[in-house]
Structures are given as structure tokens and as C-alpha cells.
């Protein structure tokens, strides 16, 4: 029996020039950034190998979900790989789940073998993983909120 997807949190779009992309969204759609932050991932896992990287992330509200613009800053990451292979574009669909490990087990129980391409955490607040091969194109991002209020 298939498992259900939680509500879509955001669509992740990889960009080469963050400021240009933000200006494009503002000029075309009147959409402004809600939050812009540079995130460091000093001990992430990319294709099973530990890597360090950083990226600039910004979020645009679009009703019930958001658009996340991501510009890689340094190091090897799924974002640099995506730019090298495809150029700018939609990279992932993001969903918050109670437990990434439990969700992966549920997928396995349906006969899927999810391929985690990237796993990292954000300052002890959230853990996330990108899964390939489940959405006919974009990766699936599962996000688990960590801490006492989770």
C-alpha cells in the first residue's frame, strides 16, 4: 500500500546568480524574499562521501507553499552537481516529515529503495535528505525538525 505525501513545503530551484534571480522574481511577479540565509554544511554526506559546502538560500511565499532559491557558494554539493549537469532549474520538492528514518522505512515497506544523494543538518534545528528517482525528475527533500519543539 502506498504511503501518502505530506503537504508540499517548497519547490527548490538552483540558480547561478542569487541576486539576479531575486530581482527577476520581484520584477516579473512582484514576489519578495521572506528569508535569505547563507548555510554552511561542514559535515554533509554526498553520495555516501563526507563533504563540506555552503549555499545561499532564500524563500518566496506563494500561498500554501514556497519557492526556495539556492545558489551554491563553495564546495561540492548537490547544487553544484545540478548546475553542472542541467544549468538552473527545479531541483527538489520538499516535505516535512516527523521522522526521516521512519519515512524511509515506510518507503522500503512499499518495495521502494530510496537513493539518498545528500544528507545534512542545519544548526541542530533540522535534518534533511535528498532522494532521487521518486518524482519523475526533481529530487524529493525530506525535512525533519529537531529539538524540543519538534
Amino acid at each position: 500500500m502506498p504511503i501518502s505525501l505530506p503537504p508540499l513545503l517548497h519547490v527548490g530551484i538552483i540558480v547561478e546568480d542569487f541576486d539576479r534571480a531575486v530581482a527577476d522574481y520581484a520584477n516579473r511577479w512582484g514576489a519578495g524574499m521572506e528569508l535569505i540565509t547563507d548555510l554552511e554544511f561542514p559535515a554533509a554526506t554526498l553520495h555516501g562521501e563526507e563533504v563540506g559546502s555552503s549555499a545561499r538560500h532564500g524563500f518566496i511565499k506563494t500561498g500554501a507553499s514556497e519557492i526556495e532559491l539556492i545558489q551554491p557558494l563553495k564546495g561540492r554539493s548537490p547544487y553544484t552537481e545540478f548546475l553542472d549537469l542541467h544549468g538552473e532549474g527545479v531541483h527538489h520538492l520538499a516535505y516535512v516529515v516527523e521522522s526521516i528514518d521512519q519515512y524511509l522505512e515506510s518507503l522500503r515497506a512499499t518495495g521502494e529503495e530510496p537513493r539518498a544523494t545528500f544528507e545534512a543538518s542545519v544548526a541542530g534545528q533540522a535534518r534533511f535528505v535528498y532522494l532521487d528517482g521518486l518524482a519523475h525528475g526533481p529530487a524529493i527533500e525530506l525535512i525533519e525538525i529537531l529539538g524540543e519543539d519538534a
Side-chain angles (χ1 to χ4, degrees):
M1 182 170 158
I3 61 174
S4 61
L5 282 173
L8 180 67
L9 179 65
H10 67 255
V11 174
I13 300 175
I14 308 300
V15 299
E16 289 185 61
D17 182 326
F18 189 85
D19 293 334
R20 180 182 51 82
V22 169
D24 286 347
Y25 274 88
N27 291 335
R28 282 194 189 108
W29 310 109
M33 284 281 138
E34 295 285 318
L35 171 68
I36 299 172
T37 187
D38 291 352
L39 295 176
E40 297 276 339
F41 306 110
T45 304
L46 179 65
H47 307 295
E49 178 185 334
E50 191 167 302
V51 296
S53 64
S54 65
R56 179 160 296 143
H57 298 255
F59 292 89
I60 299 169
K61 282 256 187 237
T62 60
S65 62
E66 297 176 316
I67 295 171
E68 176 187 29
L69 299 180
I70 305 166
Q71 177 189 333
L73 297 175
K74 62 183 178 179
R76 197 168 125 242
S77 70
Y79 317 128
T80 57
E81 287 183 349
F82 188 89
L83 277 175
D84 290 346
L85 289 172
H86 308 287
E88 295 183 314
V90 174
H91 174 260
H92 65 266
L93 307 175
Y95 304 91
V96 174
V97 295
E98 188 173 316
S99 165
I100 290 173
D101 295 329
Q102 287 177 355
Y103 204 86
L104 293 177
E105 283 304 313
S106 296
L107 280 170
R108 288 183 188 101
T110 69
E112 293 287 345
E113 190 48 53
R115 292 186 320 260
T117 58
F118 188 68
E119 184 170 346
S121 63
V122 178
Q125 297 174 354
R127 172 182 167 218
F128 68 98
V129 61
Y130 292 131
L131 307 172
D132 278 345
L134 299 175
H136 301 279
I140 294 292
E141 178 183 18
L142 299 179
I143 302 166
E144 178 181 333
I145 307 303
L146 303 173
E148 294 176 22
D149 298 330

